[in-house]
Amino acid sequence: RAKNDGGATFRTFEPAMDFDLRDRVRLESDLRAGIARGEVVPFYQPILSLQSGHLVGFESLARWCHPIRGIIDPAVFIPIAEDVDLINDLSFALLRQACRDARDWPGHLTLSINISPLQIRRPDLAIRLLQTLYAGGLAPGRLILEITESALVEDIAAARATILSLRNAGVKVALDDFGTGYSSLHHLRELQFDRIKIDRSFIATLDSFAGGKIVRAIVDLGHGLGMPVTAEGVETIEQADTLSLLGCAYGQGFLFGRPLPAAEALAAVDTRHPMIDPRRATG
Ligand code: C2E
Ligand code: MG
Ligand code: MG
Ligand code: MG
């Protein structure tokens, strides 16, 4: 029915917009079918200890391997999945797959997953996550749930209940994209996290005077609150060195590795591929 309504209104738009809407409608129906066919899969990006240089885990980042369009980024299809109410099913399908993949990794490596703000509001989120971990054979202590600040703005009471149940069960919770939200400090005061992930826009400006001071302050703040800090978007050795000197616990970024398909992530673990730690590789 929605499609017919949409079709009727197309004629009143400019040609460019008309194309976007048709494209969008096609993507929507493709996404539904693609999820059913298993085309949306987790890729894995390495996360390292900046102090030891060791791999500590992977973040699962969704990729849609579209048969015609190739690999589609989550910025394109996650909002669609949210709009058409597919996000919850998609997330759990991705988590089931990630549990299977993580079973092949050394037991100390963590699996980080992203959760949509829409999911935090659901009262059954924690129990469903724990059931999925149990069925997938992944210890709750190995999961890190990444929540963005926008998820907390929507409904902090619901988020608090979910975070409490998950942390009681041993799941770790990270505040993602820290610094980009409206009330970052408020969230740190109101909720206990296991990690703070500094948004990559701050890492990109680390070498500026203000940028450096801000990152240092966030790292110290995390320390004081017992929330180790992960830097996102580490692209250069200089950034990694600066972060390490500032006492930042973990790093993630193209310097250490791009998001990889499961088999390549596993190969990187097994062979300690240089991509994982360029400094070790070069001695
Ligand atoms: P995020 O959770 O903040 O993930 C980090 C993003 O930064 C990823 O983009 C990653 O590929 C990118 N990135 C990592 N290192 C670097 C770097 O050194 N330089 C640059 N320029 N970028 C880097 P990606 O994979 O496109 O994901 C974008 C966002 O989509 C994620 O941001 C997350 O919010 C969302 N997302 C991804 N997968 C899922 C999912 O399964 N479920 C939900 N709900 N959201 C997801
Ligand atoms: Mg994330
Ligand atoms: Mg992030
Ligand atoms: Mg981000």
Side-chain angles (χ1 to χ4, degrees), residues 59 61 114 146-148 175-178 180 197-200 232-233 252:
E59 178 176 3
L61 293 159
N114 295 284
E146 300 196 352
I147 304 177
T148 58
L175 183 55
D176 203 354
D177 298 346
F178 180 77
T180 57
K197 295 192 81 171
I198 310 184
D199 190 68
R200 81 175 130 84
E232 295 185 327
Q252 177 180 358

Side-chain angles (χ1 to χ4, degrees), residues 24-40 64 66 76-82 84 86-87 90:
R24 160 78 193 224
V25 169
R26 189 164 305 134
L27 266 185
E28 267 178 33
S29 64
D30 275 15
L31 182 59
R32 220 174 273 280
I35 291 172
R37 282 195 295 262
E39 290 169 10
V40 183
W64 180 5
H66 192 283
V76 174
F77 67 84
I78 293 287
I80 299 179
E82 288 174 335
V84 299
L86 284 170
I87 188 67
L90 174 59

Side-chain angles (χ1 to χ4, degrees), residues 120-198:
I120 297 287
R121 288 193 223 144
R122 301 178 63 124
D124 63 343
L125 178 68
I127 189 78
R128 282 203 62 192
L129 282 173
L130 293 170
Q131 281 167 347
T132 306
L133 293 182
Y134 184 76
L138 191 80
R142 293 183 62 192
L143 188 75
I144 303 178
L145 192 72
E146 300 196 352
I147 304 177
T148 58
E149 294 191 84
S150 54
L152 304 173
V153 174
E154 312 259 331
D155 188 347
I156 198 160
R160 175 182 284 112
T162 299
I163 290 172
L164 260 177
S165 333
L166 288 169
R167 295 190 75 238
N168 282 338
V171 172
K172 295 183 183 69
V173 179
L175 183 55
D176 203 354
D177 298 346
F178 180 77
T180 57
Y182 287 112
S183 48
S184 306
L185 296 174
H186 173 75
H187 296 136
L188 288 186
R189 191 187 62 202
E190 296 301 315
L191 300 165
Q192 180 69 36
F193 297 96
D194 300 280
R195 297 269 192 288
I196 296 171
K197 295 192 81 171
I198 310 184

